[in-house]
């Protein structure tokens, strides 16, 4: 019985961690920079995606002060929620985005970002409803389709999730973030070879960002090709970011034997 509990706990932790990686990508761009008014946002020393932990905390303080002065500023609120989430303060990010959504109830970009915040805080059903509210059937948004898929994956509805990803690809073929989410869907189902195929395709696209390659590194590493995985994980990052990613990757891969055992234990229970 104790071993069964351990396996269940490990599987739950791994799948939750992998799902959060997918969430990090799922609505990237839904709060697209081109749609934000930047004039009232404090200038930062560098893009938040390039900041280390200390710099991110400073950015949260800086944008937080601007938000306190004008909590109804849509752009400041969305950026504040984003940097809070990057600091791991998901509950605070959700509270901020809730207020932004109340002030902008019909704004698709705001609703998409609100859904992202809900998903990051673990409110999956609510996030799904918010994303569906943001979508318009006559002009479907591929970002929202992909976001819906990522949430469905976390809800254990892999078939529905992959249908949404393919609908998103019909709208925007070869989009790296959609292909990455589709690959992560197969990773969550423990089909690592299929996951690698989609993630390699995603990483080969011109618009692929670092998070796509980190997902690819995870899929490769889980198949035992550790050196190749570390090489990919270190690409395009600062030394500090690379070491943090590789440390995380190694911590995941130290569970390789447990992963294989879990896959064998669950061989009759695939998604």
């Amino acid at each position: 019985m104790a071993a069964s509990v351990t396996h269940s706990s490990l599987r739950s932790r791994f799948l939750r961690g992998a799902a959060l990686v997918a969430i990090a990508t799922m609505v990237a761009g839904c709060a697209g920079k081109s749609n934000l008014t930047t004039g009232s946002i404090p200038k930062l020393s560098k893009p938040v995606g390039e900041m280390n932990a200390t710099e991110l905390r400073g950015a949260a303080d800086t944008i937080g002060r601007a938000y306190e002065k004008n909590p109804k500023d849509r752009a400041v609120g969305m950026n504040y929620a984003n940097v809070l989430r990057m600091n791991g303060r998901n509950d605070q990010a959700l509270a901020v985005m809730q207020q932004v959504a109340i002030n902008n109830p019909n704004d698709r970009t705001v609703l998409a970002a609100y859904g992202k915040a809900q998903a990051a805080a673990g409110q999956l059903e609510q996030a799904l409803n918010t994303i569906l509210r943001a979508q318009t059937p006559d002009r479907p948004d591929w970002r929202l389709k992909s976001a819906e898929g990522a949430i469905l994956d976390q809800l254990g509805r892999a078939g529905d999730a992959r249908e949404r990803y393919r609908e998103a690809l019909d709208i925007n073929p070869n989009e790296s973030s959609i292909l990455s989410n589709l690959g992560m869907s197969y990773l969550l189902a423990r089909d690592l070879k299929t996951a690698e195929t989609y993630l390699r395709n995603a990483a080969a696209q011109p618009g692929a960002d670092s998070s796509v390659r980190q997902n690819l590194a995870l899929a490769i590493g889980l198949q035992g090709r550790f050196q190749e995985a570390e090489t990919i994980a270190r690409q395009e990052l600062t030394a500090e970011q690379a070491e943090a990613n590789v440390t995380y990757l190694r911590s995941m891969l130290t569970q390789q034997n447990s992963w294989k055992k879990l896959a064998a234990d669950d061989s009759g229970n695939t998604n």
Side-chain angles (χ1 to χ4, degrees):
M1 179 64 70
S4 173
V5 171
T6 299
H7 290 163
S8 176
S9 177
L10 176 59
R11 177 173 64 252
S12 176
R13 286 199 304 271
F14 181 87
L15 295 182
R16 177 63 177 167
L20 288 175
V21 176
I23 283 293
T25 306
M26 76 172 192
V27 277
C30 279
K33 293 178 182 177
S34 61
N35 295 326
L36 293 181
T37 303
T38 58
S40 57
I41 300 173
K43 290 187 179 296
L44 302 175
S45 60
K46 63 176 71 170
V48 292
E50 299 175 8
M51 292 182 177
N52 59 34
T54 300
E55 291 168 331
L56 279 173
R57 287 192 294 271
D61 291 340
T62 298
I63 301 178
R65 286 192 292 271
Y67 176 74
E68 289 176 2
K69 290 180 180 178
N70 189 2
K72 291 187 177 182
D73 188 304
R74 168 183 173 275
V76 171
M78 294 179 69
N79 278 270
Y80 186 38
N82 183 52
V83 77
L84 284 172
R85 190 166 52 250
M86 293 179 72
N87 275 282
R89 294 157 63 181
N90 291 327
D91 289 343
Q92 289 176 269
L94 176 57
V96 171
M97 275 312 308
Q98 185 176 39
Q99 289 302 311
V100 177
I102 289 172
N103 291 327
N104 301 272
N106 299 314
D107 189 312
R108 291 174 64 185
T109 301
V110 169
L111 287 173
Y114 183 32
K116 179 178 182 178
Q118 288 174 310
Q123 297 182 8
L124 300 179
E125 292 287 358
Q126 297 94 320
L128 185 59
N129 289 334
T130 300
I131 292 296
L132 291 173
R133 281 173 53 210
Q135 189 65 276
T136 53
D138 58 326
R139 290 187 301 111
D141 188 317
W142 65 265
R143 295 174 182 85
L144 296 176
K145 289 282 187 182
S146 190
E148 184 183 348
I151 296 169
L152 288 169
D153 258 327
Q154 289 200 81
L155 289 169
R157 297 167 56 184
D160 291 336
R162 292 168 196 170
E163 183 177 345
R164 297 300 176 273
Y165 298 139
R166 292 187 171 100
E167 289 172 355
L169 287 170
D170 286 341
I171 300 170
N172 192 3
N174 298 319
E175 164 57 38
S176 61
S177 64
I178 308 171
L179 291 167
S180 180
N181 280 359
L182 186 53
M184 290 300 290
S185 180
Y186 283 99
L187 186 147
L188 292 173
R190 299 179 290 282
D191 185 348
L192 300 180
K193 291 188 179 299
T194 302
E196 181 185 349
T197 297
Y198 280 110
L199 288 166
R200 279 197 181 280
N201 190 2
Q205 302 307 316
D209 63 19
S210 179
S211 67
V212 174
R213 282 174 277 277
Q214 303 311 310
N215 291 346
L216 174 60
L218 180 59
I220 290 172
L222 286 168
Q223 295 177 72
R225 288 145 50 202
F226 307 127
Q227 186 171 0
E228 182 183 356
E230 287 199 13
T231 298
I232 294 171
R234 290 183 182 277
Q235 291 177 3
E236 304 176 343
L237 300 173
T238 66
E240 183 178 2
Q241 289 171 323
E243 192 54 41
N245 278 19
V246 169
T247 297
Y248 173 74
L249 179 64
R250 285 173 179 162
S251 74
M252 297 292 281
L253 300 184
T254 57
Q255 302 176 37
Q256 177 72 4
N257 290 335
S258 298
W259 170 271
K260 290 179 178 177
K261 189 168 184 178
L262 285 174
D265 291 344
D266 297 336
S267 58
N269 183 32
T270 56
N271 290 328

